[in-house]
Amino acid sequence: MAAEIHSRPQTARPVLLNKIEGHSDAVNAAVLIPKEDGVITVSEDRTIRVWLKRDSGQYWPSIFHTVSSPCSCMSYHHDSRRIFIGQDNGAVVVSEFLISEDFNKMNHVKTYPAHQNRVSDMVFSLESEWVVSTGHDKSVSWMCTQSGSMLGRHYFTAWASCLQYDHETQHAFVGDYSGQITLLKLEKQTYSTITTLKGHEGSIGALWWDPVQRLLFSGASDHSVIMWDIGGRKGRTLLLQGHHERVQALRYLQLTRQLVSCSADGGIAVWNMDTQREEAPQWLDSDSCQKCEQPFFWNIKQMWDTKTLGLRQHHCRKCGKAVCGKCSSKRSTFPIMGFEFPVRVCDACFDTIKEEDRTPLATFHEGKHNIAHMDMDPSRGLMVTCGSDRIVKIWDMTQVVGCSLATGFSSR
C-alpha cells in the first residue's frame, strides 16, 4: 500500500562532516577504517581506494588501485588488514589483497573461483579462515583462504542478494531476489539447510545479524524492515514500515538497542528497539466485509441474493480483518506495530487508538543522496554512506544514536 511519510520537526539529526568525490561510477561499498581517519571504497569504475584525512580536513586517496572489472562489494578485516573484493568478470570474481600498516600500499594475495556471475555480498571469517560469498549465479559459496580452494556451494531459485554470517556457529543467512531468507549451517565440504524465512513481498536488499541477542534484521524492496527473533524460537517477527523506497543497508546497535536503516532514496531511519512492540496481524480472508457483511466483488452468489454491487476488499492494519472502504475510512499511525506513517485501519480499531499510541518510535532523516551501502563506527559515532551518485558521505551520528556507543556494534 502506498503511503505518504510525513516529516516531523526534529532537533537531533545526522551532521554531514565530509563529502568524498572522485569516483567516475557508482560506489558500491564504503567502510570506515577503525582507529583511523580513513575510508575504503570500491566502485563500478574498477577501482579500490583508501582515503585518508589530511591536515586540510579533506580526504585524499593514499591508495588508488585499478582492477580488471567492476568492484561490486568488499569485506575488510582491520586487524589482519586483509580486504576481499567481489568483482564482475566471469569465473574468477573474488580477489584478496593485503594493505600495508601505513595504508599507502596494497598487494594482491590470491583470487578465488567463487561464482559464475556478479558477486553481491561477502564475509571474511578469520576464525575459520573462510570467505563466504553470494552471487547473481543464484548461489552461496564458501572457500578456504589458506588453500584457496572451494569448500562448498549451495544454489537458490533466485539471485542471492545479501549475506550475514555467524562466525562462532558457522550459520549463514542468505537473502535473495524472491524475497526469501535461507538459513544454512556450513561445514567443510558439506552443509545443511536449517529453515527458510518468508515475510517480505519484494527482493531482499540488506541483512544484519546480531549474534548476542540472536536477532536477524532484513530490509527489502517492499520498503519494509522485519526483525526475526531467531533466538526466541517462537517465530516472532516485527514489521517496521517507515521508508518509501528499497531498504539497502542495516545496522543494529547493541548498546543503545537502536536499528539504523537506509533506503535507496537517501532516507535514514533510526528505530527504537528498546521498547515493547507488537506483531502486526496476519491478514484474514473473507468473501464479505467482516464489519458490515457486504459482499466483495467476487462473491457473485451473495451479490445476486442481496441484489447489491460487490465492494473492493481492504485490510485493517491493526486487527487484520477484511473490510470494505466504508468501514475503513480512517488512517492512523501505530508505531507499536511498526507503522510510523498513517495506514488504513477499520473504524472500530481507530476508536481504540489513543493519542499516546501514536507517539513515534523512530526518527527519519534525509541523506540527500542514493544510499546503496552504509557502515558505522559507533565508538566514534560515525557513519559512512555511498551509492550510485558516486559520492561518499561521512556523518556524525552522535546526536541521533547517543554518545556512548563503544560496544554497541559488531563489525563484519
Side-chain angles (χ1 to χ4, degrees), residues 181-213:
I181 303 166
T182 304
L183 172 56
L184 302 168
K185 176 69 168 72
L186 306 185
E187 304 280 359
K188 289 183 179 179
Q189 310 299 332
T190 187
Y191 67 93
S192 56
T193 303
I194 306 301
T195 189
T196 301
L197 306 175
K198 300 178 182 179
H200 286 287
E201 297 179 359
S203 59
I204 309 299
L207 292 173
W208 185 261
W209 168 244
D210 174 41
V212 176
Q213 292 185 265

Side-chain angles (χ1 to χ4, degrees), residues 216-410:
L216 179 69
F217 298 89
S218 59
S221 61
D222 59 7
H223 310 172
S224 69
V225 176
I226 296 179
M227 187 203 82
W228 311 82
D229 187 0
I230 304 297
R233 301 183 183 276
K234 297 180 180 179
R236 182 170 179 256
T237 61
L238 295 177
L239 178 67
L240 305 174
Q241 291 193 336
H243 289 284
H244 51 118
E245 254 298 345
R246 176 183 176 87
V247 180
Q248 302 195 130
L250 295 167
R251 290 293 184 275
Y252 179 65
L253 308 176
Q254 294 172 3
L255 184 65
T256 58
R257 300 291 192 269
Q258 290 171 297
L259 175 71
V260 181
S261 58
C262 300
S263 53
D265 60 353
I268 301 170
V270 181
W271 308 83
N272 177 13
M273 304 305 296
D274 191 25
T275 186
Q276 191 67 33
R277 290 183 177 270
E278 296 179 8
E279 290 187 70
Q282 295 290 321
W283 287 2
L284 302 177
D285 294 324
S286 180
D287 292 328
S288 59
C289 176
Q290 294 181 300
K291 293 296 181 180
C292 68
E293 300 184 348
Q294 290 294 303
F296 293 131
F297 64 83
W298 60 84
N299 190 348
I300 305 299
K301 184 180 184 303
Q302 186 177 349
M303 288 166 56
W304 178 265
D305 292 343
T306 58
K307 301 296 187 294
T308 57
L309 292 174
L311 304 175
R312 182 183 175 188
Q313 178 183 258
H314 302 280
H315 283 90
C316 173
R317 300 311 193 265
K318 187 175 184 294
C319 67
K321 290 184 177 179
V323 291
C324 67
K326 185 177 179 181
C327 292
S328 58
S329 60
K330 306 291 180 60
R331 304 289 185 274
S332 177
T333 61
F334 199 52
I336 197 172
M337 280 189 181
F339 300 114
E340 292 287 340
F341 52 79
V343 293
R344 182 186 295 272
V345 293
C346 67
D347 293 351
C349 283
F350 183 85
D351 293 337
T352 67
I353 299 175
K354 301 175 182 178
E355 193 58 38
E356 55 265 31
D357 295 333
R358 298 185 175 93
T359 302
L361 297 177
T363 59
F364 298 92
H365 315 274
E366 291 296 329
K368 296 184 179 179
H369 79 138
N370 170 263
I371 299 178
H373 186 270
M374 172 264 288
D375 184 38
M376 293 189 72
D377 182 352
S379 65
R380 293 180 289 172
L382 296 178
M383 179 176 75
V384 61
T385 58
C386 64
S388 61
D389 61 357
R390 312 175 187 178
I391 297 174
V392 178
K393 292 185 177 182
I394 301 174
W395 306 86
D396 179 352
M397 294 290 288
T398 54
Q399 293 184 27
V400 182
V401 297
C403 298
S404 180
L405 301 175
T407 60
F409 175 70
S410 292

Side-chain angles (χ1 to χ4, degrees), residues 86-191:
Q87 295 176 250
D88 190 1
N89 64 344
V92 181
V93 288
V94 172
S95 300
E96 179 183 352
F97 297 88
L98 182 64
I99 299 177
S100 63
E101 290 188 13
D102 59 5
F103 296 100
N104 284 314
K105 188 178 180 181
M106 185 170 69
N107 294 318
H108 179 262
V109 178
K110 61 173 63 115
T111 56
Y112 302 86
H115 298 277
Q116 296 298 320
N117 208 326
R118 184 181 179 91
V119 182
S120 56
D121 204 353
M122 67 170 61
V123 175
F124 167 61
S125 173
L126 184 66
E127 291 85 345
S128 56
E129 282 290 346
W130 289 1
V131 58
V132 186
S133 61
T134 55
H136 287 181
D137 58 358
K138 304 179 182 180
S139 77
V140 57
S141 65
W142 51 107
M143 296 150 290
C144 176
T145 55
Q146 294 175 325
S147 66
S149 62
M150 174 76 70
L151 297 176
R153 187 192 302 273
H154 172 75
Y155 283 95
F156 306 93
T157 59
W159 282 1
S161 53
C162 49
L163 167 72
Q164 283 286 278
Y165 180 71
D166 190 302
H167 300 271
E168 182 178 346
T169 65
Q170 296 183 335
H171 286 94
F173 301 87
V174 181
D176 65 38
Y177 269 70
S178 75
Q180 294 186 167
I181 303 166
T182 304
L183 172 56
L184 302 168
K185 176 69 168 72
L186 306 185
E187 304 280 359
K188 289 183 179 179
Q189 310 299 332
T190 187
Y191 67 93

